[in-house]
Amino acid sequence: MAAASKHPANVQWEEFLPALPSPTRPQPHAVPNCRRSRVGCIDTEIRRLRAAQRRLGCDHRAVFDTTYLELTRTLRATLRRHPRFFRYPKYLYTEDALFADVYFNTLRAYRRGRPVPPAWRIALDTARSGQVNAGQDMLLGINAHVQNDMPFVVAALGLRTRRGATRKPDHDRVNLILDRAYEPVVRAVAKRYDPLVSTTNASWNPLDDAAGLEMVKEWREQVWRNAERLVNARSASERQQIAYQIQQNAAGWARGMAAPQTPGYRAQRDAYCAAHR
């Protein structure tokens, strides 16, 4: 969100909110597509996302996949220019890989008719048959992957180092990556799938960028707090209740974002994509 980063409303307030006490376990571990934690894990995810983008073509699910691809490319470019951007980069490599695995596993489960979390069900059903614009598809995917998936990923890998240092500063610094990626994401989605996105997210409107950035920052702050709740749960039943609350919150956001429908807009988007692929 390059335009937003220059706007006075874009204050990194989340960096001033301290992490709550949490255990030093679990710790990062080998995950599929990232057995050894190194920057090449991010390159692997870029290849996987690019392949999915080609495979999806004009399928409306490709909007979020393209969003995810541009975000990951921006992350990789930042690490190439600033190798010490994160305090604990190896954790980031593993987190990025596990986060992507959750996304691809969800797509596979949905394709095979298996249960997926409610926020993802709404997002993918909308992409399959909804009369929405690409901005809605984008936000539905971001909501499902961030608000629904990320708390479980962070909790699975741990919130603190073995020595007890919090990893929250690195979590917050990802918001700067999202800021930088905003305009590339909008351009890519508008070029391929729906020109309306470049109007509703116009680069000349900094308040629009700032509002989007603030919403995602708030989501990511809540991600950290929900991960803290998960790792601090005192029983399996308490953890299950927290998980239910996380999923229901994401589903509520999804229902609200999917509600506005414009009859006939799906055919218009499909024609545009077919002409601009």
Side-chain angles (χ1 to χ4, degrees):
M1 303 181 180
S5 64
K6 301 174 184 177
H7 195 272
N10 183 33
V11 177
Q12 301 302 124
W13 51 264
E14 70 282 0
E15 295 181 359
F16 296 95
L17 300 178
L20 296 177
S22 58
T24 57
R25 291 187 178 184
Q27 288 294 319
H29 48 79
V31 300
N33 298 294
C34 190
R35 296 299 179 183
R36 291 180 56 196
S37 185
R38 50 189 177 181
V39 73
C41 297
I42 296 177
D43 296 326
T44 297
E45 302 315 325
I46 290 174
R47 289 192 294 270
R48 296 176 75 195
L49 290 164
R50 193 164 50 213
Q53 183 191 61
R54 289 194 296 264
R55 184 172 62 253
L56 288 169
C58 286
D59 187 310
H60 292 202
R61 289 174 296 175
V63 171
F64 176 66
D65 189 88
T66 297
T67 300
Y68 203 165
L69 174 60
E70 293 300 323
L71 289 171
T72 308
R73 282 173 168 163
T74 302
L75 170 63
R76 184 65 180 93
T78 300
L79 291 173
R80 189 176 291 113
R81 290 192 302 267
H82 308 288
R84 297 183 180 180
F85 188 82
F86 294 103
R87 188 176 303 174
Y88 306 109
K90 289 187 175 182
Y91 179 93
L92 184 280
Y93 306 151
T94 302
E95 180 186 19
D96 181 76
L98 181 58
F99 200 31
D101 285 338
V102 171
Y103 167 64
F104 285 112
N105 289 342
T106 299
L107 290 184
R108 186 180 305 110
Y110 181 83
R111 187 170 63 248
R112 295 176 178 177
R114 296 174 181 170
V116 297
W120 272 118
R121 171 66 63 182
I122 294 166
L124 295 171
D125 283 351
T126 301
R128 183 177 60 187
S129 60
Q131 300 284 346
V132 300
N133 63 60
Q136 289 170 272
D137 279 327
M138 180 195 303
L139 286 175
L140 282 164
I142 294 173
N143 167 67
H145 202 34
V146 172
Q147 294 217 90
N148 186 91
D149 298 348
M150 186 172 273
F152 300 102
V153 170
V154 174
L157 296 177
L159 284 72
R160 293 183 177 273
T161 68
R162 286 184 172 85
R163 295 185 177 183
T166 178
R167 293 191 172 100
K168 188 174 187 295
D170 276 358
H171 178 81
D172 293 338
R173 282 184 71 76
V174 173
N175 291 336
L176 299 176
I177 304 293
L178 303 180
D179 181 19
R180 296 172 183 178
Y182 186 85
E183 290 299 337
V185 166
V186 169
R187 286 195 300 268
V189 172
K191 180 180 179 180
R192 287 172 171 266
Y193 308 109
D194 186 357
L196 182 65
V197 173
S198 61
T199 302
T200 57
N201 295 278
S203 60
W204 45 261
N205 183 358
L207 288 177
D208 188 71
D209 287 354
L213 175 62
E214 284 302 305
M215 181 175 69
V216 176
K217 284 200 299 187
E218 289 173 7
W219 286 356
R220 286 180 51 79
E221 179 64 25
Q222 192 59 44
V223 161
W224 188 266
R225 301 309 171 185
N226 281 331
E228 288 178 329
R229 295 172 66 208
L230 287 168
V231 300
N232 285 316
R234 291 169 291 186
S235 65
S237 61
E238 182 181 350
R239 191 174 299 107
Q240 185 176 15
Q241 179 63 26
I242 294 167
Y244 176 79
Q245 292 169 355
I246 291 170
Q247 291 192 334
Q248 290 305 305
N249 174 66
W253 277 89
R255 282 189 288 271
M257 289 185 290
Q261 303 268 329
T262 304
Y265 197 67
R266 185 177 189 85
Q268 184 176 332
R269 280 180 57 184
D270 290 344
Y272 177 86
C273 181
H276 289 82
R277 279 191 62 189

